[in-house]
Amino acid sequence: MNAKILDLPKITDPRGNLTVCEGFHNVPFEVRRVYWVYDVPGGESRGSHAHKHCREFIIAVSGAFSVTVNDGTEEKTFLLNHPYQGLLVEENQWRTLEDFSSGAVCLVLASEPFSEDDYIRDYDEYKKYLECLK
């Protein structure tokens, strides 16, 4: 399992805290796309796909949610609830985001621009894809 939580700098100040993400410094790739997910209705999930080439760094900038990552043999769930931590999800890993708290905001830094061809959206196809990589 290559997914892992990475700490980001937390600069504390009585006026409010600050956290910084920098590509190739505390985010281990060049950031080529940024998007965020918010207003997720209770009980809904997001993700449920894998990327062939794109790496992602997922941050709960507000609230909390869980990310379940599956590499085809092992599955692990991560709770994201600190804006000074992010989950690095490598390519070829299935991810599902769920259990969003009210007001949660999920920020994603991606290593690639959007390409529908990079997505695998069916889990059975994902398993077949992994077999082809062996």
Side-chain angles (χ1 to χ4, degrees):
M1 175 70 56
N2 289 332
K4 60 185 170 188
I5 297 280
L6 300 178
D7 289 322
L8 297 166
K10 179 181 179 185
I11 302 159
T12 58
D13 186 296
R15 301 168 297 162
N17 299 331
L18 175 86
T19 293
V20 176
C21 292
E22 295 177 320
F24 296 119
H25 179 66
N26 48 24
V27 177
F29 53 79
E30 176 186 3
V31 177
R32 299 192 60 209
R33 179 169 55 120
V34 176
Y35 64 93
W36 47 99
V37 177
Y38 55 96
D39 292 341
V40 177
E44 291 296 324
S45 64
R46 298 291 308 217
S48 296
H49 64 264
H51 289 284
K52 298 173 188 172
H53 305 290
C54 187
R55 301 166 74 194
E56 292 184 332
F57 192 62
I58 304 170
I59 304 165
V61 293
S62 182
F65 53 88
S66 297
V67 182
T68 300
V69 180
N70 180 316
D71 65 5
T73 57
E74 183 182 354
E75 185 171 279
K76 187 170 182 183
T77 300
F78 300 86
L79 174 64
L80 297 182
N81 61 351
H82 299 296
Y84 53 86
Q85 292 181 326
L87 177 64
L88 177 63
V89 180
E90 298 289 353
E91 62 273 352
N92 300 321
Q93 294 187 342
W94 189 268
R95 81 284 323 270
T96 302
L97 290 71
E98 53 200 351
D99 302 323
F100 285 82
S101 69
S102 177
V105 178
C106 169
L107 176 69
V108 181
L109 310 178
S111 67
E112 304 296 326
F114 176 81
S115 170
E116 186 61 38
D117 292 339
D118 188 52
Y119 282 76
I120 305 171
R121 297 184 185 273
D122 178 89
Y123 189 75
D124 290 334
E125 288 180 29
Y126 168 68
K127 294 288 281 188
K128 290 176 188 174
Y129 177 79
L130 291 179
E131 285 299 318
C132 291
L133 293 178
K134 292 181 182 178

